[in-house]
Amino acid sequence: MTPHEQLLSYFQSKTHLSPEEFSEFKDFFVLKKVKRNELLLREGEVCTFNLFVLSGLLRMYHLGPEGQEFTRYFAFENKFGTSLTSLIESKPAIENIQAVEKSEVMKISKVDFFNLVETVPAVNLVYRNMLEQAYITSQKRIYDFQEKSALERLKWLLTHQPGILNRIPSRLVASYLGITSYTLSRIKAEL
């Protein structure tokens, strides 16, 4: 499957987009190969793009005042990933976007993406779905993490992302769960 075919398949899983309709805007999405640990966006830069992950894995994270990492989101295959607040507001990002693995993404500029959101109903629907899922995931994560123990948080994550512990380094999983690597190591033994 070519990169554009994979992107079309994603759109078709969310909408009734025909290959002919897709062909009218597919070239706005450009293939980009990303090295493991490569930063695609640094805190303080304005995010001017949206990314669709074909293969590999991206993470969005923030550095605390003492250099600790707080991971907000992992974008796996067939997901969009961006610094949404920076993209929407055109203000400096408060997070970094990094490739956790060697990855291939389809990159689209902010201008082109929002033009398509305004002019192509299928892209508008996908964007709306992205916003809804981001909000729902954020709300669930906030409230679930406030009330749950570290072990319960890990179980929540494994329910929503099975196999994550085999794919992502423990320190990154710990930064997503808001716990230390030591705590993660300890509670993994309780599973």
Side-chain angles (χ1 to χ4, degrees), residues 114-176:
F114 283 119
N115 181 48
L116 293 176
V117 166
E118 293 297 321
T119 60
V120 179
V123 178
N124 184 285
L125 185 60
V126 165
Y127 179 59
R128 192 171 77 224
N129 179 263
M130 285 172 45
L131 294 175
E132 289 169 355
Q133 291 306 309
Y135 180 78
I136 290 167
T137 300
S138 175
Q139 288 293 99
K140 285 182 179 178
R141 187 167 168 227
I142 289 168
Y143 291 121
D144 283 349
F145 280 24
Q146 286 176 347
E147 299 170 358
K148 293 186 187 299
S149 69
L151 179 59
E152 290 171 321
R153 287 184 230 170
L154 178 57
K155 287 179 179 177
W156 176 90
L157 179 60
L158 293 175
T159 299
H160 291 86
Q161 292 294 338
I164 193 169
L165 293 176
N166 298 326
R167 188 162 178 194
I168 298 178
S170 291
R171 71 176 181 79
L172 301 184
V173 173
S175 77
Y176 181 79

Side-chain angles (χ1 to χ4, degrees), residues 14-123:
K14 307 283 184 198
T15 69
H16 297 292
L17 184 69
S18 72
E20 295 76 27
E21 292 168 314
F22 180 70
S23 69
E24 294 176 17
F25 66 83
K26 72 179 177 83
D27 291 336
F28 289 115
F29 290 88
V30 178
L31 178 65
K32 178 172 176 55
K33 295 184 181 204
V34 186
K35 295 176 186 167
R36 182 177 177 269
N37 293 325
E38 183 176 336
L39 284 173
L40 291 101
L41 180 74
R42 286 178 166 68
E43 286 183 56
E45 296 175 349
V46 175
C47 185
T48 60
F49 56 84
N50 200 349
L51 303 166
F52 178 77
V53 181
L54 297 165
S55 65
L57 171 63
L58 306 178
R59 78 171 174 134
M60 289 66 182
Y61 73 98
H62 168 74
L63 291 174
E66 296 175 16
Q68 66 275 42
E69 296 178 357
F70 299 98
T71 300
R72 174 184 65 83
Y73 180 68
F74 293 109
F76 291 89
E77 288 88 357
N78 297 311
K79 296 284 183 191
F80 275 95
T82 189
S83 181
L84 201 52
T85 301
S86 177
L87 184 75
I88 293 169
E89 294 182 339
S90 295
K91 292 184 178 175
I94 59 169
E95 61 188 352
N96 302 284
I97 300 176
Q98 179 186 41
V100 176
E101 303 171 345
K102 181 179 170 185
S103 303
E104 288 189 353
V105 299
M106 297 297 281
K107 183 176 182 179
I108 184 169
S109 74
K110 172 186 177 168
V111 171
D112 290 337
F113 182 72
F114 283 119
N115 181 48
L116 293 176
V117 166
E118 293 297 321
T119 60
V120 179
V123 178

